[in-house]
Amino acid sequence: MQARIGITLVELLAVVAIVGALVALLLPPMLAAHAAERWTECQHNLRQSGRAPLNDQGTLGYYPSSGLAFGASDQATTSR
């Protein structure tokens, strides 16, 4: 009798089950690490947003403006 070359269906299903179990074990920690990375990036951006006006004040001698422009109607009511 000749020996067969290849894998059986049972062996294939066993490999698929093992890979599925490994994915199920590794997926939650990877998602948690991704969430922690997003949180850290958000904290960094908030810190940088807070430091930017302080850096401008140190360099320019005054804090940056809020970006709001006063219109002609505002100047007319304040000049009376």
Side-chain angles (χ1 to χ4, degrees):
M1 209 169 164
Q2 293 180 352
R4 289 188 168 186
I5 299 174
I7 60 170
T8 65
L9 182 61
V10 173
E11 291 170 338
L12 180 64
L13 290 175
V15 169
V16 168
I18 290 170
V19 169
L22 289 175
V23 168
L25 288 172
L26 294 175
L27 193 59
M30 289 175 58
L31 292 177
H34 186 64
E37 176 187 351
R38 284 183 292 167
W39 184 83
T40 303
E41 184 178 355
C42 182
Q43 288 296 107
H44 174 72
N45 289 341
L46 286 172
R47 240 181 238 118
Q48 291 299 98
S49 296
R51 289 179 181 163
L54 298 174
N55 188 26
D56 286 346
Q57 193 271 337
T59 303
L60 303 173
Y62 56 89
Y63 287 106
S65 67
S66 63
L68 299 176
F70 294 104
S73 61
D74 291 337
Q75 291 174 355
T77 57
T78 57
S79 62
R80 289 185 193 176

Short mmCIF file of all heavy atoms in Angstrom, two decimals:
data_model
loop_
_atom_site.label_atom_id
_atom_site.label_comp_id
_atom_site.label_asym_id
_atom_site.label_seq_id
_atom_site.Cartn_x
_atom_site.Cartn_y
_atom_site.Cartn_z
N MET A 1 0.83 -1.18 0.00
CA MET A 1 0.00 0.00 0.00
C MET A 1 0.88 1.25 0.00
O MET A 1 1.88 1.30 0.69
CB MET A 1 -0.88 -0.02 1.24
CG MET A 1 -2.14 0.69 1.03
SD MET A 1 -3.24 0.34 2.40
CE MET A 1 -4.33 1.61 2.07
N GLN A 2 0.46 2.24 -0.77
CA GLN A 2 1.25 3.46 -0.88
C GLN A 2 0.86 4.44 0.22
O GLN A 2 -0.30 4.53 0.61
CB GLN A 2 1.01 4.10 -2.23
CG GLN A 2 1.52 3.29 -3.39
CD GLN A 2 1.23 4.00 -4.70
OE1 GLN A 2 0.54 4.99 -4.73
NE2 GLN A 2 1.78 3.46 -5.77
N ALA A 3 1.85 5.20 0.70
CA ALA A 3 1.58 6.23 1.70
C ALA A 3 1.06 7.48 0.99
O ALA A 3 1.55 7.87 -0.07
CB ALA A 3 2.85 6.57 2.45
N ARG A 4 0.03 8.06 1.56
CA ARG A 4 -0.55 9.26 0.96
C ARG A 4 0.23 10.51 1.39
O ARG A 4 0.65 10.61 2.54
CB ARG A 4 -2.00 9.43 1.37
CG ARG A 4 -2.88 8.42 0.75
CD ARG A 4 -4.30 8.76 1.04
NE ARG A 4 -5.17 7.96 0.21
CZ ARG A 4 -6.46 8.10 0.14
NH1 ARG A 4 -7.06 9.03 0.86
NH2 ARG A 4 -7.17 7.34 -0.64
N ILE A 5 0.36 11.43 0.47
CA ILE A 5 1.04 12.69 0.77
C ILE A 5 -0.04 13.76 0.88
O ILE A 5 -0.88 13.91 0.01
CB ILE A 5 2.03 13.06 -0.34
CG1 ILE A 5 3.10 11.98 -0.46
CG2 ILE A 5 2.65 14.41 -0.08
CD1 ILE A 5 4.05 12.18 -1.61
N GLY A 6 -0.02 14.51 1.98
CA GLY A 6 -0.99 15.57 2.18
C GLY A 6 -1.52 15.56 3.59
O GLY A 6 -1.04 14.82 4.45
N ILE A 7 -2.51 16.39 3.82
CA ILE A 7 -3.10 16.47 5.15
C ILE A 7 -4.56 16.07 5.06
O ILE A 7 -5.20 16.20 4.02
CB ILE A 7 -2.96 17.88 5.75
CG1 ILE A 7 -3.65 18.92 4.86
CG2 ILE A 7 -1.50 18.25 5.93
CD1 ILE A 7 -3.75 20.27 5.49
N THR A 8 -5.05 15.59 6.17
CA THR A 8 -6.45 15.18 6.20
C THR A 8 -7.33 16.36 6.63
O THR A 8 -6.83 17.39 7.11
CB THR A 8 -6.66 14.01 7.18
OG1 THR A 8 -6.35 14.47 8.49
CG2 THR A 8 -5.78 12.84 6.81
N LEU A 9 -8.61 16.18 6.48
CA LEU A 9 -9.56 17.22 6.87
C LEU A 9 -9.51 17.46 8.37
O LEU A 9 -9.62 18.60 8.84
CB LEU A 9 -10.97 16.82 6.43
CG LEU A 9 -12.09 17.82 6.72
CD1 LEU A 9 -11.82 19.12 6.00
CD2 LEU A 9 -13.43 17.25 6.31
N VAL A 10 -9.31 16.43 9.15
CA VAL A 10 -9.24 16.56 10.61
C VAL A 10 -8.03 17.39 11.01
O VAL A 10 -8.11 18.26 11.90
CB VAL A 10 -9.20 15.17 11.28
CG1 VAL A 10 -8.97 15.27 12.77
CG2 VAL A 10 -10.47 14.40 10.98
N GLU A 11 -6.90 17.16 10.36
CA GLU A 11 -5.71 17.94 10.66
C GLU A 11 -5.92 19.42 10.28
O GLU A 11 -5.51 20.31 11.02
CB GLU A 11 -4.51 17.38 9.90
CG GLU A 11 -4.05 16.03 10.39
CD GLU A 11 -3.02 15.39 9.47
OE1 GLU A 11 -2.95 15.77 8.28
OE2 GLU A 11 -2.28 14.53 9.96
N LEU A 12 -6.55 19.65 9.16
CA LEU A 12 -6.83 21.02 8.74
C LEU A 12 -7.75 21.72 9.73
O LEU A 12 -7.51 22.89 10.11
CB LEU A 12 -7.45 21.03 7.35
CG LEU A 12 -7.79 22.39 6.77
CD1 LEU A 12 -6.52 23.20 6.57
CD2 LEU A 12 -8.56 22.24 5.48
N LEU A 13 -8.79 21.05 10.18
CA LEU A 13 -9.70 21.64 11.16
C LEU A 13 -9.01 21.90 12.49
O LEU A 13 -9.30 22.88 13.17
CB LEU A 13 -10.93 20.74 11.35
CG LEU A 13 -11.88 20.68 10.15
CD1 LEU A 13 -12.98 19.66 10.42
CD2 LEU A 13 -12.45 22.03 9.84
N ALA A 14 -8.10 21.02 12.88
CA ALA A 14 -7.36 21.23 14.12
C ALA A 14 -6.48 22.48 14.03
O ALA A 14 -6.41 23.28 14.97
CB ALA A 14 -6.51 20.00 14.43
N VAL A 15 -5.83 22.67 12.89
CA VAL A 15 -4.98 23.85 12.71
C VAL A 15 -5.83 25.12 12.73
O VAL A 15 -5.47 26.12 13.35
CB VAL A 15 -4.17 23.73 11.40
CG1 VAL A 15 -3.49 25.05 11.05
CG2 VAL A 15 -3.14 22.62 11.53
N VAL A 16 -6.97 25.10 12.07
CA VAL A 16 -7.86 26.25 12.05
C VAL A 16 -8.36 26.56 13.46
O VAL A 16 -8.43 27.74 13.86
CB VAL A 16 -9.04 26.01 11.07
CG1 VAL A 16 -10.12 27.06 11.25
CG2 VAL A 16 -8.54 25.98 9.65
N ALA A 17 -8.67 25.55 14.24
CA ALA A 17 -9.13 25.77 15.61
C ALA A 17 -8.02 26.36 16.48
O ALA A 17 -8.27 27.27 17.29
CB ALA A 17 -9.62 24.46 16.21
N ILE A 18 -6.80 25.90 16.29
CA ILE A 18 -5.68 26.43 17.08
C ILE A 18 -5.43 27.89 16.72
O ILE A 18 -5.24 28.75 17.59
CB ILE A 18 -4.42 25.57 16.86
CG1 ILE A 18 -4.61 24.20 17.51
CG2 ILE A 18 -3.19 26.27 17.40
CD1 ILE A 18 -3.53 23.21 17.16
N VAL A 19 -5.44 28.21 15.44
CA VAL A 19 -5.24 29.60 15.01
C VAL A 19 -6.36 30.48 15.53
O VAL A 19 -6.12 31.61 16.00
CB VAL A 19 -5.12 29.67 13.47
CG1 VAL A 19 -5.17 31.10 12.99
CG2 VAL A 19 -3.85 29.00 13.00
N GLY A 20 -7.60 30.00 15.49
CA GLY A 20 -8.72 30.77 16.02
C GLY A 20 -8.59 31.02 17.51
O GLY A 20 -8.91 32.12 17.98
N ALA A 21 -8.13 30.02 18.24
CA ALA A 21 -7.94 30.19 19.69
C ALA A 21 -6.85 31.22 19.97
O ALA A 21 -6.98 32.05 20.88
CB ALA A 21 -7.60 28.86 20.34
N LEU A 22 -5.77 31.18 19.21
CA LEU A 22 -4.69 32.16 19.41
C LEU A 22 -5.16 33.58 19.10
O LEU A 22 -4.82 34.52 19.82
CB LEU A 22 -3.49 31.80 18.54
CG LEU A 22 -2.69 30.57 18.98
CD1 LEU A 22 -1.61 30.25 17.96
CD2 LEU A 22 -2.09 30.80 20.35
N VAL A 23 -5.93 33.73 18.04
CA VAL A 23 -6.47 35.05 17.70
C VAL A 23 -7.40 35.54 18.80
O VAL A 23 -7.36 36.71 19.20
CB VAL A 23 -7.18 35.01 16.34
CG1 VAL A 23 -7.99 36.27 16.11
CG2 VAL A 23 -6.17 34.83 15.23
N ALA A 24 -8.23 34.64 19.32
CA ALA A 24 -9.16 35.03 20.39
C ALA A 24 -8.42 35.43 21.66
O ALA A 24 -8.88 36.29 22.41
CB ALA A 24 -10.12 33.87 20.69
N LEU A 25 -7.26 34.82 21.91
CA LEU A 25 -6.48 35.18 23.09
C LEU A 25 -5.70 36.48 22.91
O LEU A 25 -5.49 37.22 23.87
CB LEU A 25 -5.51 34.05 23.44
CG LEU A 25 -6.14 32.79 24.02
CD1 LEU A 25 -5.09 31.70 24.14
CD2 LEU A 25 -6.77 33.07 25.37
N LEU A 26 -5.26 36.75 21.70
CA LEU A 26 -4.40 37.91 21.47
C LEU A 26 -5.15 39.18 21.08
O LEU A 26 -4.61 40.27 21.21
CB LEU A 26 -3.36 37.59 20.39
CG LEU A 26 -2.34 36.52 20.76
CD1 LEU A 26 -1.45 36.22 19.57
CD2 LEU A 26 -1.51 36.97 21.94
N LEU A 27 -6.36 39.06 20.60
CA LEU A 27 -7.08 40.24 20.12
C LEU A 27 -7.44 41.24 21.23
O LEU A 27 -7.21 42.44 21.05
CB LEU A 27 -8.34 39.79 19.36
CG LEU A 27 -9.02 40.87 18.54
CD1 LEU A 27 -8.08 41.42 17.50
CD2 LEU A 27 -10.26 40.30 17.87
N PRO A 28 -7.99 40.83 22.38
CA PRO A 28 -8.32 41.83 23.42
C PRO A 28 -7.12 42.65 23.91
O PRO A 28 -7.24 43.87 24.04
CB PRO A 28 -8.94 40.99 24.53
CG PRO A 28 -9.48 39.80 23.84
CD PRO A 28 -8.53 39.52 22.72
N PRO A 29 -5.96 42.04 24.18
CA PRO A 29 -4.82 42.89 24.59
C PRO A 29 -4.38 43.87 23.51
O PRO A 29 -3.97 44.99 23.81
CB PRO A 29 -3.71 41.89 24.90
CG PRO A 29 -4.39 40.61 25.16
CD PRO A 29 -5.62 40.62 24.33
N MET A 30 -4.48 43.44 22.25
CA MET A 30 -4.11 44.36 21.18
C MET A 30 -5.06 45.53 21.10
O MET A 30 -4.64 46.68 20.90
CB MET A 30 -4.08 43.61 19.85
CG MET A 30 -2.93 42.63 19.73
SD MET A 30 -2.96 41.65 18.23
CE MET A 30 -2.95 42.89 16.98
N LEU A 31 -6.35 45.29 21.29
CA LEU A 31 -7.33 46.38 21.28
C LEU A 31 -7.13 47.31 22.48
O LEU A 31 -7.27 48.52 22.36
CB LEU A 31 -8.74 45.81 21.27
CG LEU A 31 -9.15 45.08 20.00
CD1 LEU A 31 -10.54 44.49 20.14
CD2 LEU A 31 -9.08 45.99 18.80
N ALA A 32 -6.80 46.74 23.63
CA ALA A 32 -6.55 47.56 24.81
C ALA A 32 -5.30 48.43 24.61
O ALA A 32 -5.28 49.60 25.02
CB ALA A 32 -6.39 46.68 26.04
N ALA A 33 -4.28 47.87 24.00
CA ALA A 33 -3.07 48.65 23.73
C ALA A 33 -3.36 49.79 22.76
O ALA A 33 -2.84 50.89 22.90
CB ALA A 33 -1.97 47.74 23.18
N HIS A 34 -4.21 49.53 21.78
CA HIS A 34 -4.56 50.57 20.82
C HIS A 34 -5.34 51.69 21.50
O HIS A 34 -5.11 52.88 21.23
CB HIS A 34 -5.37 49.96 19.68
CG HIS A 34 -5.66 50.91 18.57
ND1 HIS A 34 -4.68 51.46 17.78
CD2 HIS A 34 -6.82 51.44 18.12
CE1 HIS A 34 -5.23 52.25 16.89
NE2 HIS A 34 -6.53 52.27 17.08
N ALA A 35 -6.25 51.33 22.40
CA ALA A 35 -7.02 52.34 23.13
C ALA A 35 -6.10 53.17 24.03
O ALA A 35 -6.25 54.38 24.14
CB ALA A 35 -8.12 51.68 23.94
N ALA A 36 -5.14 52.51 24.67
CA ALA A 36 -4.20 53.23 25.52
C ALA A 36 -3.33 54.18 24.69
O ALA A 36 -3.00 55.29 25.14
CB ALA A 36 -3.32 52.24 26.28
N GLU A 37 -2.98 53.76 23.49
CA GLU A 37 -2.19 54.61 22.62
C GLU A 37 -2.98 55.86 22.21
O GLU A 37 -2.43 56.97 22.21
CB GLU A 37 -1.80 53.83 21.37
CG GLU A 37 -1.05 54.63 20.34
CD GLU A 37 -0.83 53.85 19.06
OE1 GLU A 37 -1.11 52.64 19.03
OE2 GLU A 37 -0.40 54.47 18.08
N ARG A 38 -4.26 55.70 21.90
CA ARG A 38 -5.08 56.86 21.55
C ARG A 38 -5.23 57.80 22.74
O ARG A 38 -5.20 59.02 22.60
CB ARG A 38 -6.45 56.41 21.06
CG ARG A 38 -6.42 55.86 19.65
CD ARG A 38 -7.79 55.51 19.19
NE ARG A 38 -8.22 54.36 19.98
CZ ARG A 38 -9.45 53.91 20.04
NH1 ARG A 38 -10.40 54.48 19.37
NH2 ARG A 38 -9.75 52.86 20.78
N TRP A 39 -5.40 57.26 23.94
CA TRP A 39 -5.53 58.08 25.14
C TRP A 39 -4.25 58.87 25.39
O TRP A 39 -4.29 60.06 25.70
CB TRP A 39 -5.87 57.20 26.34
CG TRP A 39 -6.12 57.98 27.58
CD1 TRP A 39 -7.27 58.59 27.97
CD2 TRP A 39 -5.17 58.25 28.62
NE1 TRP A 39 -7.11 59.21 29.17
CE2 TRP A 39 -5.82 59.02 29.60
CE3 TRP A 39 -3.84 57.92 28.81
CZ2 TRP A 39 -5.19 59.45 30.74
CZ3 TRP A 39 -3.21 58.36 29.95
CH2 TRP A 39 -3.90 59.12 30.91
N THR A 40 -3.10 58.21 25.22
CA THR A 40 -1.82 58.88 25.43
C THR A 40 -1.62 59.99 24.41
O THR A 40 -1.14 61.08 24.76
CB THR A 40 -0.68 57.85 25.33
OG1 THR A 40 -0.90 56.82 26.28
CG2 THR A 40 0.66 58.49 25.57
N GLU A 41 -2.00 59.74 23.16
CA GLU A 41 -1.86 60.77 22.14
C GLU A 41 -2.77 61.96 22.44
O GLU A 41 -2.38 63.12 22.27
CB GLU A 41 -2.21 60.19 20.77
CG GLU A 41 -2.01 61.17 19.65
CD GLU A 41 -2.32 60.56 18.29
OE1 GLU A 41 -2.60 59.35 18.22
OE2 GLU A 41 -2.28 61.32 17.31
N CYS A 42 -3.97 61.70 22.93
CA CYS A 42 -4.89 62.78 23.29
C CYS A 42 -4.32 63.60 24.44
O CYS A 42 -4.37 64.84 24.41
CB CYS A 42 -6.24 62.18 23.67
SG CYS A 42 -7.49 63.42 24.07
N GLN A 43 -3.78 62.94 25.46
CA GLN A 43 -3.18 63.66 26.58
C GLN A 43 -2.01 64.53 26.10
O GLN A 43 -1.84 65.66 26.55
CB GLN A 43 -2.69 62.67 27.63
CG GLN A 43 -3.79 62.00 28.41
CD GLN A 43 -4.58 63.00 29.22
OE1 GLN A 43 -5.71 63.31 28.88
NE2 GLN A 43 -4.01 63.49 30.26
N HIS A 44 -1.22 63.99 25.19
CA HIS A 44 -0.09 64.75 24.66
C HIS A 44 -0.57 66.00 23.91
O HIS A 44 -0.02 67.09 24.08
CB HIS A 44 0.74 63.87 23.73
CG HIS A 44 1.83 64.59 23.02
ND1 HIS A 44 2.97 65.03 23.66
CD2 HIS A 44 1.96 64.98 21.74
CE1 HIS A 44 3.74 65.64 22.80
NE2 HIS A 44 3.16 65.63 21.61
N ASN A 45 -1.62 65.84 23.10
CA ASN A 45 -2.15 66.99 22.36
C ASN A 45 -2.71 68.05 23.30
O ASN A 45 -2.54 69.25 23.06
CB ASN A 45 -3.23 66.53 21.38
CG ASN A 45 -2.66 65.76 20.22
OD1 ASN A 45 -1.47 65.86 19.93
ND2 ASN A 45 -3.50 64.99 19.56
N LEU A 46 -3.39 67.63 24.36
CA LEU A 46 -3.91 68.59 25.34
C LEU A 46 -2.78 69.34 26.04
O LEU A 46 -2.85 70.55 26.26
CB LEU A 46 -4.78 67.88 26.36
CG LEU A 46 -6.15 67.43 25.87
CD1 LEU A 46 -6.83 66.56 26.93
CD2 LEU A 46 -7.02 68.62 25.53
N ARG A 47 -1.72 68.61 26.38
CA ARG A 47 -0.57 69.25 27.03
C ARG A 47 0.07 70.27 26.10
O ARG A 47 0.42 71.38 26.53
CB ARG A 47 0.45 68.17 27.40
CG ARG A 47 0.72 68.13 28.86
CD ARG A 47 1.76 67.09 29.24
NE ARG A 47 1.12 66.19 30.19
CZ ARG A 47 0.91 64.91 30.01
NH1 ARG A 47 1.31 64.33 28.92
NH2 ARG A 47 0.31 64.20 30.91
N GLN A 48 0.24 69.90 24.83
CA GLN A 48 0.84 70.83 23.88
C GLN A 48 -0.05 72.05 23.67
O GLN A 48 0.46 73.16 23.50
CB GLN A 48 1.08 70.11 22.55
CG GLN A 48 2.17 69.05 22.61
CD GLN A 48 3.51 69.63 22.98
OE1 GLN A 48 3.92 69.58 24.14
NE2 GLN A 48 4.19 70.20 22.02
N SER A 49 -1.37 71.86 23.66
CA SER A 49 -2.28 73.00 23.51
C SER A 49 -2.19 73.94 24.71
O SER A 49 -2.36 75.15 24.57
CB SER A 49 -3.72 72.50 23.37
OG SER A 49 -3.86 71.75 22.21
N GLY A 50 -1.93 73.41 25.87
CA GLY A 50 -1.76 74.25 27.04
C GLY A 50 -0.42 74.96 27.08
O GLY A 50 -0.31 76.08 27.59
N ARG A 51 0.60 74.33 26.54
CA ARG A 51 1.94 74.93 26.56
C ARG A 51 2.13 75.98 25.48
O ARG A 51 2.99 76.86 25.62
CB ARG A 51 2.98 73.83 26.38
CG ARG A 51 3.12 72.94 27.57
CD ARG A 51 4.13 71.87 27.34
NE ARG A 51 4.23 71.00 28.52
CZ ARG A 51 4.77 69.82 28.52
NH1 ARG A 51 5.28 69.34 27.39
NH2 ARG A 51 4.80 69.10 29.62
N ALA A 52 1.37 75.92 24.41
CA ALA A 52 1.56 76.85 23.29
C ALA A 52 1.38 78.31 23.70
O ALA A 52 2.22 79.15 23.37
CB ALA A 52 0.63 76.48 22.15
N PRO A 53 0.29 78.68 24.43
CA PRO A 53 0.17 80.09 24.84
C PRO A 53 1.29 80.52 25.79
O PRO A 53 1.75 81.67 25.72
CB PRO A 53 -1.18 80.15 25.54
CG PRO A 53 -1.93 78.96 25.09
CD PRO A 53 -0.91 77.93 24.77
N LEU A 54 1.73 79.62 26.64
CA LEU A 54 2.82 79.98 27.55
C LEU A 54 4.12 80.21 26.78
O LEU A 54 4.89 81.11 27.12
CB LEU A 54 3.01 78.88 28.59
CG LEU A 54 1.82 78.64 29.51
CD1 LEU A 54 2.08 77.44 30.41
CD2 LEU A 54 1.53 79.87 30.34
N ASN A 55 4.34 79.42 25.76
CA ASN A 55 5.52 79.62 24.93
C ASN A 55 5.45 80.95 24.18
O ASN A 55 6.44 81.67 24.10
CB ASN A 55 5.64 78.46 23.94
CG ASN A 55 6.95 78.49 23.18
OD1 ASN A 55 7.93 79.03 23.65
ND2 ASN A 55 6.94 77.91 21.99
N ASP A 56 4.27 81.29 23.65
CA ASP A 56 4.10 82.58 22.97
C ASP A 56 4.32 83.74 23.94
O ASP A 56 4.95 84.74 23.60
CB ASP A 56 2.71 82.69 22.36
CG ASP A 56 2.56 81.83 21.12
OD1 ASP A 56 3.59 81.37 20.59
OD2 ASP A 56 1.41 81.61 20.70
N GLN A 57 3.82 83.59 25.14
CA GLN A 57 3.98 84.67 26.13
C GLN A 57 5.45 84.85 26.48
O GLN A 57 5.93 85.96 26.63
CB GLN A 57 3.16 84.35 27.39
CG GLN A 57 2.98 85.51 28.32
CD GLN A 57 4.10 85.62 29.35
OE1 GLN A 57 4.78 84.65 29.66
NE2 GLN A 57 4.30 86.82 29.85
N GLY A 58 6.16 83.75 26.60
CA GLY A 58 7.59 83.84 26.91
C GLY A 58 8.39 84.45 25.77
O GLY A 58 9.35 85.19 25.99
N THR A 59 7.99 84.15 24.54
CA THR A 59 8.72 84.65 23.37
C THR A 59 8.32 86.07 23.01
O THR A 59 9.18 86.93 22.79
CB THR A 59 8.46 83.73 22.16
OG1 THR A 59 8.84 82.40 22.52
CG2 THR A 59 9.25 84.16 20.96
N LEU A 60 7.01 86.32 22.95
CA LEU A 60 6.52 87.62 22.47
C LEU A 60 6.32 88.63 23.59
O LEU A 60 6.27 89.82 23.34
CB LEU A 60 5.19 87.43 21.72
CG LEU A 60 5.22 86.47 20.54
CD1 LEU A 60 3.82 86.23 20.01
CD2 LEU A 60 6.13 87.01 19.45
N GLY A 61 6.15 88.16 24.79
CA GLY A 61 5.91 89.07 25.91
C GLY A 61 4.43 89.28 26.19
O GLY A 61 4.07 90.01 27.10
N TYR A 62 3.56 88.68 25.42
CA TYR A 62 2.12 88.78 25.65
C TYR A 62 1.46 87.48 25.18
O TYR A 62 2.02 86.74 24.38
CB TYR A 62 1.51 89.98 24.92
CG TYR A 62 1.75 89.99 23.44
CD1 TYR A 62 0.87 89.37 22.56
CD2 TYR A 62 2.86 90.64 22.91
CE1 TYR A 62 1.10 89.38 21.20
CE2 TYR A 62 3.09 90.66 21.55
CZ TYR A 62 2.21 90.02 20.69
OH TYR A 62 2.44 90.04 19.35
N TYR A 63 0.27 87.24 25.69
CA TYR A 63 -0.47 86.05 25.30
C TYR A 63 -1.09 86.25 23.92
O TYR A 63 -1.42 87.37 23.54
CB TYR A 63 -1.58 85.73 26.31
CG TYR A 63 -1.03 85.18 27.60
CD1 TYR A 63 -1.01 85.95 28.75
CD2 TYR A 63 -0.56 83.89 27.67
CE1 TYR A 63 -0.51 85.45 29.94
CE2 TYR A 63 -0.06 83.37 28.85
CZ TYR A 63 -0.03 84.16 29.98
OH TYR A 63 0.47 83.65 31.14
N PRO A 64 -1.26 85.18 23.16
CA PRO A 64 -1.87 85.33 21.84
C PRO A 64 -3.33 85.75 21.95
O PRO A 64 -3.99 85.48 22.95
CB PRO A 64 -1.74 83.94 21.21
CG PRO A 64 -1.59 83.02 22.36
CD PRO A 64 -0.91 83.80 23.44
N SER A 65 -3.83 86.40 20.92
CA SER A 65 -5.22 86.83 20.94
C SER A 65 -6.13 85.63 20.78
O SER A 65 -5.71 84.55 20.37
CB SER A 65 -5.48 87.83 19.81
OG SER A 65 -5.37 87.17 18.57
N SER A 66 -7.39 85.83 21.08
CA SER A 66 -8.35 84.74 20.97
C SER A 66 -8.78 84.50 19.54
O SER A 66 -9.43 83.51 19.25
CB SER A 66 -9.58 85.05 21.81
OG SER A 66 -10.22 86.20 21.30
N GLY A 67 -8.45 85.39 18.65
CA GLY A 67 -8.83 85.25 17.26
C GLY A 67 -10.17 85.92 16.96
O GLY A 67 -10.62 85.91 15.83
N LEU A 68 -10.80 86.49 17.97
CA LEU A 68 -12.07 87.18 17.76
C LEU A 68 -11.79 88.61 17.34
O LEU A 68 -11.01 89.32 17.98
CB LEU A 68 -12.91 87.17 19.03
CG LEU A 68 -13.29 85.80 19.57
CD1 LEU A 68 -14.03 85.95 20.89
CD2 LEU A 68 -14.16 85.07 18.57
N ALA A 69 -12.40 89.03 16.27
CA ALA A 69 -12.23 90.40 15.78
C ALA A 69 -13.45 91.21 16.19
O ALA A 69 -14.57 90.75 16.11
CB ALA A 69 -12.07 90.40 14.27
N PHE A 70 -13.21 92.41 16.63
CA PHE A 70 -14.31 93.30 17.01
C PHE A 70 -14.79 94.02 15.77
O PHE A 70 -14.01 94.61 15.02
CB PHE A 70 -13.87 94.30 18.06
CG PHE A 70 -13.52 93.65 19.37
CD1 PHE A 70 -12.21 93.48 19.76
CD2 PHE A 70 -14.54 93.20 20.20
CE1 PHE A 70 -11.89 92.89 20.94
CE2 PHE A 70 -14.24 92.60 21.39
CZ PHE A 70 -12.91 92.44 21.78
N GLY A 71 -16.09 94.00 15.54
CA GLY A 71 -16.68 94.66 14.38
C GLY A 71 -16.90 96.14 14.64
O GLY A 71 -16.65 96.67 15.72
N ALA A 72 -17.37 96.83 13.65
CA ALA A 72 -17.63 98.27 13.76
C ALA A 72 -18.73 98.55 14.75
O ALA A 72 -18.70 99.56 15.47
CB ALA A 72 -18.00 98.83 12.38
N SER A 73 -19.71 97.67 14.86
CA SER A 73 -20.81 97.91 15.82
C SER A 73 -20.30 97.81 17.26
O SER A 73 -20.76 98.55 18.13
CB SER A 73 -21.95 96.91 15.59
OG SER A 73 -21.47 95.60 15.80
N ASP A 74 -19.34 96.95 17.50
CA ASP A 74 -18.78 96.84 18.85
C ASP A 74 -17.97 98.09 19.21
O ASP A 74 -18.02 98.57 20.33
CB ASP A 74 -17.88 95.62 18.96
CG ASP A 74 -18.66 94.32 18.89
OD1 ASP A 74 -19.88 94.34 19.20
OD2 ASP A 74 -18.07 93.30 18.52
N GLN A 75 -17.25 98.63 18.25
CA GLN A 75 -16.45 99.81 18.52
C GLN A 75 -17.35 101.04 18.73
O GLN A 75 -17.04 101.91 19.52
CB GLN A 75 -15.49 100.06 17.37
CG GLN A 75 -14.39 99.02 17.28
CD GLN A 75 -13.53 99.19 16.07
OE1 GLN A 75 -13.78 100.05 15.23
NE2 GLN A 75 -12.49 98.36 15.95
N ALA A 76 -18.47 101.09 18.03
CA ALA A 76 -19.37 102.23 18.15
C ALA A 76 -20.01 102.24 19.54
O ALA A 76 -20.18 103.31 20.12
CB ALA A 76 -20.44 102.16 17.07
N THR A 77 -20.33 101.10 20.07
CA THR A 77 -20.99 101.07 21.40
C THR A 77 -19.98 101.31 22.52
O THR A 77 -20.32 101.85 23.55
CB THR A 77 -21.69 99.72 21.62
OG1 THR A 77 -20.75 98.67 21.48
CG2 THR A 77 -22.83 99.53 20.65
N THR A 78 -18.71 100.95 22.31
CA THR A 78 -17.72 101.14 23.36
C THR A 78 -17.14 102.56 23.35
O THR A 78 -16.62 102.99 24.35
CB THR A 78 -16.59 100.13 23.24
OG1 THR A 78 -16.01 100.23 21.95
CG2 THR A 78 -17.09 98.72 23.46
N SER A 79 -17.22 103.27 22.24
CA SER A 79 -16.61 104.60 22.18
C SER A 79 -17.53 105.69 22.72
O SER A 79 -17.11 106.83 22.87
CB SER A 79 -16.22 104.93 20.73
OG SER A 79 -17.38 104.97 19.92
N ARG A 80 -18.76 105.41 23.00
CA ARG A 80 -19.68 106.45 23.50
C ARG A 80 -19.40 106.83 24.88
O ARG A 80 -19.00 106.47 25.81
CB ARG A 80 -21.13 105.97 23.42
CG ARG A 80 -21.61 105.90 22.00
CD ARG A 80 -23.06 105.55 22.03
NE ARG A 80 -23.45 105.18 20.68
CZ ARG A 80 -24.64 104.76 20.36
NH1 ARG A 80 -25.56 104.63 21.28
NH2 ARG A 80 -24.92 104.44 19.14
#
